[in-house]
Amino acid sequence: MRKLSLDRILQSQGFGARKWCRQLIETGEVSVAGEVVDDWRATYEVDAPASLAFTIYGETWIYREYVYVALNKPPDMECSRKPSHHPGILSILPEQFTWRDVQPVGRLDHDTTGLLLLSDDGAFIHAQSSPRRHVPKVYRATTQDAVTPELIGSLMAGVQLHDEPAPLAATWCHAVGENEIQIVLEQGKYHQVKRMLAAAGNHCKALRRSAIGGLSLDELGLEVGEWCYLEAEQIAILGNAPALEAQ
Ligand code: URA
């Protein structure tokens, strides 16, 4: 059983430096289970999931050792923590997430929309991003020129990209409209969908990631710009076969 003092709990949850968290507590801004606690030395058990609910400035939070977040990324936002041309994705999440060092798991281009995972669990980020894990990612791409059987054939057979030692192939790919494909990739290379489409003689006009493994945006029900915490069962299905969209 792990017990932490209230100031440490708040600090671990991204509410600022210890000194600031102590001040918050001492000025009566923090309640635990509905009761104001003004002694930062008060300790609480934090092991069990959802074990501790605390309220700060009227907003209630559940203690989480790590956060795992799914976001439906809007266009014109950068995944970088130091964005240069567009607002950063962290700006649409609670400020504490930045303090907790929550970061995107891999990146989507600024103009790509769809499912993005974020976390402050380094082991999770590493495992999800590792090329050896072969986590399948499902994309829907709108193409400049009509989709042909040759295009699908090339993407499935593999196309050679400039800085890659060997051709890269889609795990699966099919047409879902005259100018639209659904494509599943396991490699996660830089601008991979756009570069593969270009190498196959077409051009990607719009791109959306609809699923990572068995976790799909449809099932999460997130509108563009919305996010939610992921719980253990949802994290587990990231290892499942890719969730394909109905056409
Ligand atoms: N492939 C791309 O080209 N861009 C993305 O954002 C993701 C995959």
Side-chain angles (χ1 to χ4, degrees):
M1 176 171 54
R2 204 157 62 100
K3 280 188 143 195
L4 290 178
S5 57
L6 192 53
D7 61 336
R8 277 189 188 277
I9 290 173
L10 297 194
Q11 186 189 21
S12 74
Q13 303 301 286
F15 286 92
R18 281 277 282 294
K19 202 169 154 196
W20 169 248
C21 292
R22 284 181 185 184
Q23 271 178 29
L24 272 179
I25 298 163
E26 284 174 344
T27 51
E29 298 297 349
V30 183
S31 311
V32 178
E35 299 278 329
V36 172
V37 179
D38 59 8
D39 180 1
W40 56 262
R41 293 170 197 84
T43 59
Y44 297 90
E45 203 184 312
V46 292
D47 281 343
S51 59
L52 180 71
F54 55 93
T55 305
I56 299 186
Y57 294 126
E59 197 167 347
T60 300
W61 302 87
I62 303 288
Y63 173 87
R64 291 171 190 267
E65 186 177 5
Y66 296 111
V67 291
Y68 306 91
V69 165
L71 166 75
N72 187 348
K73 180 190 170 293
D76 301 323
M77 296 203 89
E78 290 182 25
C79 287
S80 161
R81 279 191 293 169
K82 291 198 178 127
S84 43
H85 299 294
H86 302 274
I89 209 68
L90 285 165
S91 65
I92 53 176
L93 296 168
E95 210 182 324
Q96 300 92 269
F97 287 7
T98 304
W99 278 85
R100 291 187 67 151
D101 207 19
V102 166
Q103 5 187 327
V105 180
R107 289 188 180 187
L108 290 176
D109 299 334
H110 75 87
D111 54 352
T112 301
T113 59
L115 182 57
L116 180 69
L117 305 181
L118 299 102
S119 180
D120 55 356
D121 178 352
F124 172 77
I125 295 174
H126 179 74
Q128 283 298 313
S129 329
S130 164
R132 270 183 285 156
R133 278 284 300 275
H134 300 289
V135 178
K137 304 195 175 81
V138 185
Y139 297 90
R140 192 173 271 244
T142 308
T143 59
Q144 172 101 44
D145 302 319
V147 175
T148 59
E150 290 72 35
L151 177 76
I152 302 291
S154 301
L155 295 169
M156 288 294 292
V159 289
Q160 184 63 53
L161 304 184
H162 283 317
D163 49 358
E164 291 299 326
L168 293 176
T171 307
W172 192 74
C173 182
H174 79 150
V176 286
E178 208 176 311
N179 287 74
E180 210 168 21
I181 58 167
Q182 187 167 209
I183 180 166
V184 182
L185 298 179
E186 291 185 357
Q187 300 91 350
K189 304 282 181 188
Y190 181 66
H191 291 331
Q192 190 173 343
V193 176
K194 294 174 185 168
R195 289 160 70 217
M196 284 178 70
L197 275 168
N202 206 315
H203 173 72
C204 181
K205 281 179 60 187
L207 186 59
R208 184 173 82 96
R209 183 154 73 192
S210 60
I212 298 175
L215 186 71
S216 73
L217 266 182
D218 268 2
E219 210 157 289
L220 291 166
L222 295 175
E223 296 296 326
V224 174
E226 285 183 347
W227 66 274
C228 65
Y229 290 106
L230 292 179
E231 306 302 342
E233 321 78 71
Q234 292 164 314
I235 293 169
I237 63 171
L238 288 168
N240 289 2
L244 300 175
E245 280 185 311
Q247 296 184 24

